[in-house]
């Protein structure tokens, strides 16, 4: 017979075990993916697998990035693209840091007030929807430029996996199926799109094999003829025909003239780490550096994360930086961006000195005068690291989810609506609520200002963090918080990405928060300081989806982390 004391002991130890288990696992996050040789992190698992296959076959990080870029155009129609643009930041193991700008351009026939009516009122649908919203695509030129200059493999090899995925199909994931369904009415307006993304007018199901034969044909053209396979010949003819039919202005000359540009990265420092990021026409690198320079003046207590004092420091810093963005940033080939001033530590100190204990209303914050400090001194992201220490950070986009929803008839690819990233009318916000001025006004062949922030953080001049994100204006604050989480709060890369985030962009004057970022007590304290709070999902409908890698150069371990907000995966070997 079992004694009562024994039963009691068993019950007691079960309770204790349950208690210990619950407590020891409380607060733990999924660990990052570990690898010894190389890592690819993207929002789409089939694309991550393409990247890691290229690495295993001896390709370097640039080869893998180009293969992933083409693969995402097939497996992530949300934002992966050949009809859009983006930015690539590269660190080579010989110490060279560089960037490739393949941002879309305004067509030759574009002009400053093209989205205003006769009375000067802005017509948002013209810059956001239809053929008038399309910028001259840059992705194909950018990927091919990167491969030729910094890759080791032929184009035919790195583009083949994308061709195979388009031709043979891939199993649709839940996110894509839901996204397509959400945009059913928008796709329905364009027969060329509707027939690609809906099967006989009906939605596809999760797990169904999705084939894109027209897109496979376009990719074959690129494989055979390089950039001419896209910017000249049959694909260019189809693109221009589609744009003309829908009332747009992109011409064959626009396509012929498009060139990717290699630019010097923005290099700044934060607590001894080197931050390598994207220069204009992205605002990302400069605004990230400006915010880090301001925040470097604080000492963060390890327990401060998530408190009202922490969010106050972040929000005030973000406000000043985004006020500067609205005035001082634009395509530096067309507008004198006061880059050195904006990056100056002294200028950042002058902002830090203005931050008090209470919230300063955005109406009282104006863009600063960085010129005084000129001292010498729905987008997607993927991060790649190879066995030889080369790192690539790429953010690419069609702007809105699935761009402007127009598929080029017969060529099977989606077009961007990137023209909405220009300031169509000074002071009038774009789809991300961002306000801009003359620096970002429309001019023929000018590149529209971006927030994309592909970034590589170097420790002792070797890659330490490779990170970036989609999410419009929230991109820059997402990258900022992932970096702070790693450097100031000692989090591993997965935890740093998983943690909830906040966002402030000066106007509208609100702290936008993700679920769980701000608890009730903190919210009350922030409100008492003068802040207004808003749920980011309800207000923006977007949030940053970070994809990151952290390299432990002492123990030779590469950690990869895909953002659970987006799906996808880190794949290493
Ligand atoms: N299209 C979003 C950005 O470039 O910032």
């Amino acid at each position: 017979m079992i004694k009562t004391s024994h039963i009691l002991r068993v019950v007691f130890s079960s309770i204790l075990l349950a208690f210990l288990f619950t407590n020891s696992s409380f607060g733990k996050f999924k660990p990052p993916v570990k690898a010894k040789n190389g890592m690819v992190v993207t929002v789409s698992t089939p694309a991550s697998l393409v990247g890691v296959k290229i690495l295993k076959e001896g390709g370097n990080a640039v080869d893998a990035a180009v293969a992933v870029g083409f693969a995402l155009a097939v497996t992530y129609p949300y934002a992966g693209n050949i009809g859009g643009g983006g930015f690539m930041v590269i660190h080579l193991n010989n110490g060279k840091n560089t960037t490739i700008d393949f941002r879309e351009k305004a067509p030759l026939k574009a002009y400053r007030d093209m989205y205003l009516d006769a009375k000067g009122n802005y017509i948002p649908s013209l810059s956001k929807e239809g053929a008038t919203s399309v910028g001259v695509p840059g992705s194909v030129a950018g990927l091919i430029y990167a491969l030729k200059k910094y890759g080791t493999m032929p184009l035919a090899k790195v583009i083949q996996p994308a061709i195979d995925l388009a031709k043979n199909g891939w199993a649709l994931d839940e996110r894509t199926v839901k996204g397509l369904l959400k945009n059913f009415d928008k796709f329905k307006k364009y027969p060329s799109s509707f027939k690609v993304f809906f099967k006989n007018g009906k939605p596809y199901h999760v797990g169904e094999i999705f084939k894109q034969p027209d897109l496979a044909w376009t990719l074959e053209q690129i494989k055979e003829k390089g950039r001419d396979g896209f910017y000249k010949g049959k694909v260019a003819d189809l693109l221009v025909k589609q744009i003309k039919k829908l009332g747009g202005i992109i011409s064959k000359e626009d396509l012929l003239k498009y060139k990717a540009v290699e630019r010097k990265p923005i290099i700044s420092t934060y607590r001894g780490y080197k931050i390598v990021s994207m220069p204009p026409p992205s605002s990302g690198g400069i605004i990230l550096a400006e915010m880090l320079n301001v925040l470097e003046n604080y000492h963060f207590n390890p327990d401060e994360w998530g408190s009202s004092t922490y969010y106050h420091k972040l929000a005030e810093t973000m406000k000043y930086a985004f006020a500067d963005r609205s005035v001082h940033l634009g395509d530096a080939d067309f507008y004198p961006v006061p880059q050195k001033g904006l990056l100056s530590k002294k200028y950042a100190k002058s902002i830090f000195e203005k931050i008090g204990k209470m919230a300063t209303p955005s109406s009282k914050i104006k863009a600063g005068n960085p010129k005084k400090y000129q001292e010498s001194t729905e987008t997607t992201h993927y991060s790649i690291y190879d066995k030889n220490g080369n790192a690539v950070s790429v953010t690419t986009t069609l702007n809105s989810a699935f761009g402007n929803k127009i598929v080029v008839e017969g060529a099977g690819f989606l077009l961007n609506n990137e023209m909405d990233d220009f300031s169509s009318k000074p002071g009038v916000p774009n789809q991300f609520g961002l306000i801009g001025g003359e620096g970002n006004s429309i001019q023929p062949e000018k590149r529209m200002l971006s927030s994309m922030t592909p970034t590589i953080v170097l420790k002792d001049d070797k890659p330490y963090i490779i990170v970036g994100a989609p999410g419009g204006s929230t991109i820059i604050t997402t990258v900022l918080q992932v970096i702070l989480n790693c450097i100031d709060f000692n989090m591993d890369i997965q935890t740093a990405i998983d943690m909830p985030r906040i966002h402030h962009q000066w106007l509208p004057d609100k702290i936008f928060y993700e679920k769980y970022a701000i608890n009730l007590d903190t919210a009350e304290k922030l409100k008492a300081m003068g802040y207004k709070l808003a749920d980011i999902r309800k207000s923006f409908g977007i949030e940053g989806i970070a994809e990151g890698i952290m390299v432990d150069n002492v123990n030779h371990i590469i950690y990869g982390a895909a953002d659970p907000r987006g799906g996808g995966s880190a794949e290493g070997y």
Side-chain angles (χ1 to χ4, degrees):
M1 208 172 104
I2 303 169
K3 288 192 185 149
T4 319
S5 60
H6 179 70
I7 294 173
L8 279 175
R9 259 205 322 272
V10 169
V11 170
F12 177 72
S13 46
S14 310
I15 292 171
L16 185 68
L17 270 179
F19 174 79
L20 284 177
F21 176 77
T22 319
N23 279 277
S24 63
S25 59
F26 177 75
K28 271 200 179 163
F29 290 86
K30 184 180 118 184
V33 172
K34 275 196 208 178
K36 275 278 170 200
N37 295 296
M39 182 72 70
V40 178
V41 191
T42 85
V43 73
S44 156
T45 298
S48 297
L49 291 170
V50 164
V52 91
K53 180 173 177 285
I54 293 287
L55 291 182
K56 280 183 187 167
E57 287 172 2
N60 70 8
V62 176
D63 296 319
V66 175
V68 166
F70 284 119
L72 282 171
V74 180
T75 65
Y76 196 65
Y78 252 109
N81 67 81
I82 52 174
F87 300 108
M88 183 181 288
V89 175
I90 303 173
H91 170 87
L92 297 175
N93 60 6
N94 63 10
K96 178 171 178 158
N97 298 304
T98 190
T99 77
I100 296 161
D101 162 6
F102 49 100
R103 181 68 160 167
E104 299 91 329
K105 280 166 75 162
L108 287 158
K109 285 198 188 124
Y111 56 97
R112 192 180 187 280
D113 294 339
M114 62 187 277
Y115 300 127
L116 306 186
D117 67 14
K119 288 187 184 145
N121 296 317
Y122 169 47
I123 314 164
S125 60
L126 288 180
S127 68
K128 284 192 190 84
E129 295 162 25
T132 48
S133 67
V134 189
V136 183
S139 291
V140 174
L143 294 177
I144 291 176
Y145 180 101
L147 186 71
K148 275 199 180 145
K149 186 139 181 208
Y150 297 110
T152 64
M153 287 177 158
L155 177 61
K157 170 126 184 113
V158 296
I159 203 171
Q160 193 59 46
I163 296 172
D164 295 342
L165 283 162
K167 210 182 260 176
N168 307 328
W170 52 284
L172 278 162
D173 55 82
E174 191 179 345
R175 191 170 142 80
T176 307
V177 168
K178 279 190 177 159
L180 291 171
L181 198 56
K182 197 171 155 196
N183 289 287
F184 183 91
D185 292 339
K186 292 181 181 157
F187 282 121
K188 204 161 178 205
K189 285 204 281 191
Y190 306 109
S192 58
S193 312
F194 198 61
K195 72 176 181 209
V196 168
F197 292 118
F198 294 87
K199 201 170 57 177
N200 305 319
K202 298 273 179 303
Y204 278 97
H205 298 294
V206 177
E208 229 175 309
I209 298 299
F210 179 52
K211 296 182 183 175
Q212 299 168 85
D214 288 348
L215 179 55
W217 172 81
T218 299
L219 292 167
E220 295 268 16
Q221 299 301 302
I222 299 168
K223 176 182 162 182
E224 277 167 31
K225 303 179 188 113
R227 58 161 284 150
D228 286 355
F230 185 83
Y231 293 97
K232 274 184 186 174
K234 289 182 197 156
V235 174
D237 289 348
L238 290 170
L239 196 161
V240 171
K241 189 173 155 202
Q242 178 85 51
I243 297 268
K244 264 204 183 133
K245 186 174 147 193
L246 296 171
I249 55 172
I250 291 182
S251 64
K252 286 196 188 162
E253 196 187 351
D254 281 313
L255 295 176
L256 276 178
K257 283 189 86 175
Y258 187 88
K259 280 198 173 52
V261 182
E262 186 164 357
R263 298 187 191 275
K264 264 196 195 158
I266 296 295
I267 300 195
S268 58
T269 58
Y270 180 67
R271 304 200 197 283
Y273 294 85
K274 206 178 259 180
I275 314 289
V276 183
S277 195
M278 198 64 214
S282 183
S283 61
I286 289 182
I287 298 302
L288 174 69
E290 183 179 344
M291 291 192 291
L292 287 170
N293 284 344
V294 175
L295 291 167
E296 201 174 36
N297 291 286
Y298 291 107
H299 168 75
F300 292 121
N301 176 324
D303 297 329
E304 192 178 344
W305 195 97
S307 66
S308 54
T309 53
Y310 179 58
Y311 288 140
H312 172 60
K313 290 166 190 168
L314 290 194
E316 293 300 284
T317 302
M318 290 172 185
K319 280 191 227 173
Y320 282 98
F322 274 85
D324 279 342
R325 184 192 189 281
S326 73
V327 170
H328 297 303
L329 269 297
D331 180 348
D333 291 345
F334 286 73
Y335 182 80
V337 174
Q339 186 166 310
K340 281 186 181 161
L342 289 165
L343 294 175
S344 144
K345 298 267 183 198
K346 281 190 197 150
Y347 178 57
K349 187 85 192 277
S350 76
I351 295 175
F352 164 75
E353 279 161 0
K354 287 188 215 157
I355 300 175
K357 294 224 171 319
M358 304 294 279
T360 309
S362 292
S363 55
K364 297 228 162 74
I365 293 177
K366 297 277 171 275
N369 185 6
K371 288 184 190 119
K372 272 200 332 205
Y373 297 85
Q374 299 268 38
E375 53 188 26
S376 7
T377 49
E378 210 139 86
T379 308
T380 190
H381 180 85
Y382 51 102
S383 297
I384 299 182
Y385 185 72
D386 71 24
K387 66 177 189 307
N388 295 318
N390 302 300
V392 177
S393 188
V394 183
T395 313
T396 181
T397 188
L398 291 163
N399 200 15
S400 297
F402 308 101
N404 60 10
K405 284 84 183 168
I406 300 174
V407 167
V408 174
E409 175 72 57
F413 64 91
L414 281 161
L415 291 169
N416 68 81
N417 60 342
E418 219 70 63
M419 290 296 282
D420 190 56
D421 272 347
F422 276 118
S423 303
S424 298
K425 186 176 176 178
V428 175
N430 73 357
Q431 68 163 319
F432 302 113
L434 286 168
I435 287 171
E438 203 46 53
N440 191 31
S441 63
I442 305 171
Q443 280 174 257
E445 298 205 85
K446 188 174 175 182
R447 282 150 145 99
M448 54 296 280
L449 185 61
S450 172
S451 298
M452 291 191 269
T453 316
T455 298
I456 300 173
V457 178
L458 305 178
K459 187 177 181 177
D460 302 325
D461 286 322
K462 289 198 176 123
Y464 173 53
I465 302 166
I466 306 156
V467 70
S473 49
T474 69
I475 293 173
I476 318 176
T477 54
T478 295
V479 173
L480 172 77
Q481 286 166 88
V482 173
I483 292 174
L484 296 178
N485 285 346
C486 294
I487 294 180
D488 289 285
F489 298 97
N490 211 14
M491 293 180 199
D492 66 66
I493 189 71
Q494 186 73 62
T495 310
I497 283 175
D498 290 359
M499 290 300 262
R501 299 185 272 264
I502 64 146
H503 172 72
H504 204 307
Q505 58 179 47
W506 175 54
L507 292 174
D509 190 358
K510 287 177 188 168
I511 294 181
F512 295 96
Y513 61 86
E514 285 186 333
K515 203 171 174 184
Y516 308 124
I518 302 183
N519 67 28
L520 270 182
D521 288 348
T522 306
E524 287 313 314
K525 283 186 186 144
L526 287 169
K527 282 181 200 161
M529 287 172 174
Y531 287 105
K532 291 189 197 77
L533 308 180
D535 181 323
I536 196 161
R537 274 246 138 238
K538 286 186 194 146
S539 318
F540 274 73
I542 51 161
E543 54 198 358
I545 301 169
E547 313 294 345
I549 294 174
M550 184 185 268
V551 186
D552 174 349
N553 277 308
V554 177
N555 299 302
H556 306 289
I557 304 173
I558 311 160
Y559 296 97
D563 197 326
R565 294 164 184 83
S569 60
E571 303 287 342
Y573 77 107

